[in-house]
Amino acid sequence: MVHVLGLIDNGIVTEELTEFVDMFPTLVEAAGLPVLDLCPENSTNVLVCSEGNSLVPLMKDPASPNWKKTVFSQYPRSADNGHQMGYSMTTAKYRYTEWVKFDMKPLYKPDWNKVYCVELYDHIKDPEENYNLAYNSAEKKLVSELRKELHFLLAAARTSI
């Protein structure tokens, strides 16, 4: 929850998708500071940048037709077979996740050729994510499409920076 004095004094409700990385640019814009540059792939020597989008436009129009339709998250875990990273893509209907091998220092990059697990949940039929549909033969085409979209959008996000 965020309160921006003079903009959302009475609160707002939205069903649009947001990401935690959207908070920093939102606070920067709400404070009247200059817009942040997007972070480059290697931001080691960058003083300040952001990977998110300001939520201020959404605060002004909670049902904005121009808002993002897909959001991403990632979550690390270690297992007997080494470091893994879960990359998720969430839409209004689905959450699709791939758990892949993750190369630590010095690369810090996923190895998309080593997929340990895949998850697919239908948030309309199963909002609590109790049934993983990824290995259901009826969903094979959907899994393939979402896999391609996840890889394409993650690559596009990196090249647009």
Side-chain angles (χ1 to χ4, degrees), residues 52 73 98 127 132:
S73 60
E98 289 187 16
N132 182 0

Side-chain angles (χ1 to χ4, degrees), residues 46-66:
V46 176
L47 183 60
V48 64
C49 62
S50 174
E51 293 185 351
N53 298 314
S54 171
L55 298 172
V56 170
L58 194 57
M59 292 173 188
K60 293 177 180 177
D61 182 4
S64 174
N66 299 322

Side-chain angles (χ1 to χ4, degrees), residues 44 85 92 112 117 130 142 159:
T44 305
M85 189 69 74
W112 294 104
C117 180
N130 292 309
L142 176 60
T159 58

Side-chain angles (χ1 to χ4, degrees), residues 69-149:
K69 303 300 179 206
T70 306
V71 294
F72 301 94
S73 60
Q74 66 184 70
Y75 189 80
R77 70 178 177 194
S78 294
D80 293 338
N81 50 5
H83 296 285
Q84 299 178 20
M85 189 69 74
Y87 290 91
S88 294
M89 174 179 76
T90 303
T91 67
K93 185 169 184 183
Y94 298 109
R95 180 176 66 86
Y96 174 77
T97 302
E98 289 187 16
W99 289 95
V100 300
K101 181 180 185 299
F102 191 77
D103 295 323
M104 297 300 282
K105 290 181 181 179
L107 300 176
Y108 295 104
K109 291 194 179 257
D111 179 352
W112 294 104
N113 296 314
K114 183 62 178 168
V115 178
Y116 295 108
C117 180
V118 176
E119 299 175 39
L120 172 63
Y121 300 98
D122 183 329
H123 285 165
I124 305 300
K125 296 177 182 174
D126 179 23
E128 295 179 356
E129 297 186 350
N130 292 309
Y131 304 101
N132 182 0
L133 303 173
Y135 300 100
N136 182 334
S137 60
E139 305 300 343
K140 189 174 183 177
K141 182 179 177 190
L142 176 60
V143 168
S144 177
E145 291 169 359
L146 291 172
R147 175 180 170 79
K148 288 177 189 172
E149 187 175 354

